[in-house]
Amino acid sequence: MLLTGLITIAAFILIGRGASSAERKPLPMAAGFILLAISLSLHVVHHESLMRSVTTVSAEFGVGFWVLAGMLSKAHRPAKPFFALGAMTLALAVVLIASGKIRSAIDVETILVELGPDDRIEEVEHILARHDAAAERAYPTVTLSEDADLAQVYLVTVPVDRTDRLIEDLTSDRENVDHTEVNRLFDMIHPVSQPGVVTEAESVLENDPLVGRQWALSAINGHEAHALLKDAAPARKAVVAILDTGVDG
């Protein structure tokens, strides 16, 4: 957050002024500590994740410690401890950023977000950024004139541990968001074709030259049923309609 960063740097400048003066001034230092408390409280109010908050605070404090160390060094006061603290907190921020990117790349989930017909994804960018989420159109080739619903559906990628909070925040934005749900993917179990041995009788009863690959007939004992009905005469005729969706599995 830019605001908390500016407040943190201002706080360290005030602390530095109070600590580097010939006679230490408690008032600027007290004001600096108050600003630090305000900065930390803003991180809490902003509902950031713990990892993001620690990373941001580490980066802000690292820069702040270096600013303080520079002011103390210029005033010929001990500054090395603050240089060291700044280096350690900045190093911690770098490690957290790197680990967060690796984790986000591995452990992510997608959700579907449908916006209103007159809304734009930019209107919820601040919510997405808060949860390190990225959005892309789910149906990029569909225009609003073709389908006002599909054109407003976005596929949002978000770290798994932030999915619930992101959905909650997006759902609360009733002005821009019409619907949100987890994009669940289900893999169909593909049947394994097993070539069978076609006998002469089956060739007569089942006039499909690829009957040996019809795994379903074996699964329902269709060959045996044909054998039983081979010499049977039906009492009456029946009309059979076959409705096929064309979807196997």
Side-chain angles (χ1 to χ4, degrees):
M1 293 173 60
L2 179 60
L3 177 60
T4 58
L6 293 175
I7 293 175
T8 301
I9 299 303
F12 276 99
I13 290 175
L14 287 174
I15 295 173
R17 282 188 176 181
S20 61
S21 60
E23 295 181 0
R24 293 188 178 180
K25 300 178 180 179
L27 189 58
M29 296 178 66
F33 284 115
I34 291 174
L35 285 181
L36 284 180
I38 293 174
S39 175
L40 292 174
S41 64
L42 285 176
H43 282 288
V44 176
V45 172
H46 200 253
H47 298 295
E48 293 179 323
S49 66
L50 179 61
M51 177 71 75
R52 186 183 180 91
S53 295
V54 173
T55 303
T56 307
V57 170
S58 298
E60 292 172 355
F61 272 58
V63 175
F65 278 129
W66 276 3
V67 170
L68 175 59
M71 296 178 70
L72 292 174
S73 178
K74 187 176 181 180
H76 304 289
R77 292 185 177 275
K80 288 184 178 180
F82 297 102
F83 274 120
L85 282 173
M88 287 189 293
T89 51
L90 285 174
L92 175 61
V94 171
V95 170
L96 291 175
I97 291 172
S99 62
K101 287 185 178 297
I102 294 173
R103 183 181 178 188
S104 296
I106 297 174
D107 199 10
V108 296
E109 193 167 26
T110 56
I111 64 174
L112 293 172
V113 179
E114 182 181 355
L115 303 181
D118 300 324
D119 299 307
R120 298 178 303 162
I121 193 65
E122 289 79 10
E123 294 174 302
V124 296
E125 280 290 353
H126 64 288
I127 299 177
L128 301 180
R130 189 186 309 164
H131 299 281
D132 289 337
E136 60 180 323
R137 291 185 61 190
Y139 305 97
T141 60
V142 179
T143 63
L144 280 171
S145 59
E146 293 174 338
D147 194 312
D149 292 325
L150 291 182
Q152 290 293 80
V153 177
Y154 286 82
L155 191 64
V156 177
T157 304
V158 60
V160 171
D161 58 348
R162 303 182 193 178
T163 301
D164 293 339
R165 180 64 67 84
L166 175 58
I167 291 178
E168 180 182 337
D169 289 349
L170 287 172
T171 304
S172 63
D173 186 3
R174 300 181 183 276
E175 182 179 352
N176 299 305
V177 180
D178 285 354
H179 180 71
T180 59
E181 65 176 82
V182 176
N183 182 37
R184 303 193 184 279
L185 302 178
F186 297 94
D187 292 330
M188 300 293 291
I189 300 176
H190 298 286
V192 179
S193 299
Q194 296 182 350
V197 178
V198 182
T199 64
E200 183 179 351
E202 288 174 345
S203 298
V204 174
L205 292 172
E206 302 153 352
N207 57 3
D208 185 347
L210 299 179
V211 67
R213 300 183 183 179
Q214 301 296 322
W215 60 272
L217 290 176
S218 299
I220 64 173
N221 297 322
H223 302 305
E224 290 78 1
H226 280 175
L228 290 174
L229 297 174
K230 178 181 178 181
D231 299 323
R236 56 183 179 178
K237 293 183 178 181
V239 177
V240 178
I242 300 176
L243 304 179
D244 190 352
T245 63
V247 178
D248 294 331

